[in-house]
Amino acid sequence: MASHAARGKKALEAKEYDAAIQAYTDAIKEFPTSPDYFIQRSTAYQRAQKTDEALRDAEQAVVNAQQRGKKDLIIEAQQRRGIALCQLGRYGDAQYVLNLVKEKSPEHKNAIMWLNKIEISLRKLEADDERRKVTATETPIIEANESKVTAPGTAGGQDAPSSASTTVLPIASAPPAPQQTPASKIRHEWYQNTEHIYFTLLARGVPKDQTEIETTSTSLSISFPLVTDSTYEMTLDPLYAPILAEKTITKVMPSKVEIILFKAQAGQKWPSLEGTEATHATASDNIDATSTSHNPAPPKPIDRPPAYPTSSRTGPKNWDTITSNLSKKSSETATADGATTVVAEEDDDDDTEGGDATNNFFKKLYKNASPEVRRAMMKSYTESNGTSLSTSWDEVKKGKVETLPPDGMEAKEW
């Protein structure tokens, strides 16, 4: 037998909204604090043109999601709340709520679309129109009373006949503040990117209106009262490097405190959150030096040919120089009939005496080779990135010569 939630989802997809409402109502009986079931029932109410009920469920979903600290569900519940407010003509409240959604999820397409609709509607209203007023708060205020949920097929606000089932569900009051984390179990974590330090204090029940967060260019301090009539205090002084204190962003949430610090020197990597006076002084000097310099041009890269591994006692070979030298020792002589003959000059005796035997071998091999062999040697050497040398033009001309690095080495593109 399918669960109530599964039946509700199937009915919602089939556009059987009354059945979906009933199924999610049954699911809520079993799990009265589930944010998702209230969100889905709000959706069903909205599509069934029961906007007041849709708003009520959306607000309950926001409260439940905030109590659980579920960001995705908070965003979804606030979106449903904003849509319901818009359909009720409360454009100021709807704009406020959907801006909360956009603030938490800047790319939220539905929120952006509804905000555009609201903006058009607001332009048509007088400046003192009641529909412009903003009375909503981020956390809905839910009255602690009981509301009758009409069964599918009955008119809202009227009692259903005795043959019809009528469900009466209490609307939960605003949730109590989450139980505060003991001071001994409060911990923190942090991470960074090139511009920011993201600091999170993992503590539940931090009183938002009594929390003090102070930052200077070199320090961070947090304090708030505990339920034990004492005060929790945390100070990081000095930080590893200076920050731009005036840009600090703080968020006190039910389950944690988030702080975003802006690095004074973007791109600097912090190996730790806290530093010492010595490291801080060094970092400050670096910032001063950077700010007063005239941004010198980066050094020009040295134009060097790639170096290849070699077992020669004289070090790696510069194959570009070898090829250039060989080319200089060949000259083209034009004949009377316009043809061109390649004439190779004789090597000096000094070239073959002393020096590197491998170098001399390749010089002789290239000098005495036919044009086809030379083409094969140059093509195979160039296309293989210096890892192959072939003298067979019949083989080489068939396609590109693949790079074959020596055993234990890896070829990389330049």
Side-chain angles (χ1 to χ4, degrees):
M1 180 178 178
S3 67
H4 299 310
R7 287 191 295 105
K9 180 179 179 181
K10 186 175 180 180
L12 196 58
E13 291 174 350
K15 299 182 180 180
E16 298 173 356
Y17 303 129
D18 287 342
I21 292 169
Q22 185 60 62
Y24 282 117
T25 298
D26 294 338
I28 290 170
K29 288 181 185 178
E30 295 182 2
F31 303 98
T33 61
S34 168
D36 186 56
Y37 294 164
F38 278 100
I39 290 172
Q40 298 306 323
R41 194 171 70 171
S42 174
T43 303
Y45 273 132
Q46 178 200 339
R47 294 178 184 176
Q49 306 301 316
K50 298 179 181 180
T51 312
D52 287 326
E53 291 89 341
L55 175 60
R56 184 196 62 209
D57 272 7
E59 291 185 334
Q60 186 65 58
V62 171
V63 171
N64 291 353
Q66 287 178 343
Q67 189 172 6
R68 294 191 179 191
K70 299 289 187 179
K71 181 179 177 180
D72 292 344
L73 292 176
I74 293 173
I75 291 173
E76 183 64 21
Q78 292 283 30
Q79 181 211 195
R80 300 245 59 92
R81 181 187 177 202
I83 293 173
L85 288 167
C86 179
Q87 292 179 336
L88 288 170
R90 294 169 57 181
Y91 300 122
D93 287 337
Q95 187 179 53
Y96 169 78
V97 171
L98 289 170
N99 274 327
L100 292 176
V101 175
K102 188 178 177 183
E103 184 180 306
K104 297 180 186 297
S105 179
E107 304 300 325
H108 200 293
K109 294 182 180 179
N110 274 350
I112 294 172
M113 179 188 71
W114 280 95
L115 282 170
N116 291 335
K117 289 183 179 181
I118 293 168
E119 185 64 31
I120 294 172
S121 298
L122 287 172
R123 290 175 189 167
K124 300 176 182 178
L125 302 180
E126 298 294 335
D128 58 350
D129 195 298
E130 288 289 324
R131 290 171 287 180
R132 285 182 172 273
K133 289 186 177 180
V134 178
T135 59
T137 57
E138 183 171 357
T139 300
I141 300 173
I142 298 177
E143 297 179 0
N145 62 351
E146 291 188 349
S147 175
K148 183 177 293 184
V149 180
T150 57
T154 62
Q158 297 180 357
D159 292 335
S162 58
S163 58
S165 62
T166 303
T167 304
V168 178
L169 290 177
I171 294 182
S173 59
Q179 186 175 2
Q180 195 175 69
T181 304
S184 60
K185 294 186 178 181
I186 294 177
R187 58 189 180 88
H188 69 273
E189 58 186 27
W190 69 284
Y191 65 96
Q192 64 181 307
N193 59 19
T194 56
E195 297 182 352
H196 306 116
I197 297 293
Y198 296 89
F199 176 90
T200 302
L201 186 71
L202 301 172
R204 290 183 172 275
V206 177
K208 184 174 182 179
D209 56 343
Q210 300 179 57
T211 300
E212 295 182 4
I213 301 174
E214 296 181 0
T215 56
T216 68
S217 62
T218 61
S219 66
L220 165 67
S221 65
I222 306 169
S223 66
F224 56 85
L226 298 170
V227 294
T228 56
D229 293 332
S230 58
T231 302
Y232 176 84
E233 293 185 356
M234 177 180 184
T235 301
L236 301 174
D237 186 11
L239 296 169
Y240 179 79
I243 60 172
L244 303 177
E246 67 279 3
K247 292 186 176 182
T248 300
I249 299 174
T250 63
K251 296 179 182 179
V252 180
M253 293 179 280
S255 61
K256 59 186 175 180
V257 178
E258 289 187 350
I259 302 173
I260 303 176
L261 306 176
F262 287 70
K263 296 180 180 178
Q265 184 177 355
Q268 181 184 21
K269 185 175 181 180
W270 290 24
S272 62
L273 191 57
E274 292 185 88
T276 62
E277 294 295 340
T279 58
H280 183 265
T282 303
S284 299
D285 293 341
N286 290 339
I287 293 174
D288 293 339
T290 302
S291 61
T292 56
S293 66
H294 295 285
N295 297 323
K300 295 182 179 180
I302 301 175
D303 187 12
R304 294 176 179 170
Y308 302 98
T310 178
S311 59
S312 172
R313 289 175 297 176
T314 59
K317 302 292 180 293
N318 187 332
W319 293 103
D320 293 341
T321 302
I322 294 173
T323 304
S324 177
N325 291 340
L326 291 174
S327 298
K328 287 180 182 177
K329 293 182 180 180
S330 298
S331 62
E332 292 184 351
T333 305
T335 60
D337 59 0
T340 301
T341 304
V342 178
V343 179
E345 296 179 2
E346 295 292 334
D347 279 345
D348 295 335
D349 291 341
D350 293 341
D351 290 340
T352 58
E353 294 181 3
D356 190 291
T358 305
N359 192 359
N360 293 333
F361 170 76
F362 283 116
K363 281 185 178 181
K364 289 182 180 180
L365 181 63
Y366 188 85
K367 179 187 73 174
N368 298 325
S370 65
E372 283 190 351
V373 172
R374 289 187 179 187
R375 285 200 301 272
M377 293 173 69
M378 294 302 294
K379 183 175 185 295
S380 61
Y381 177 80
T382 302
E383 292 182 349
S384 70
N385 296 308
T387 61
S388 297
L389 185 65
S390 175
T391 58
S392 174
W393 177 247
D394 290 336
E395 292 295 329
V396 173
K397 70 180 181 180
K398 292 179 181 179
K400 181 179 178 181
V401 180
E402 298 297 329
T403 301
L404 299 173
D407 291 340
M409 305 198 71
E410 180 182 1
K412 294 185 177 180
E413 295 184 0
W414 290 87

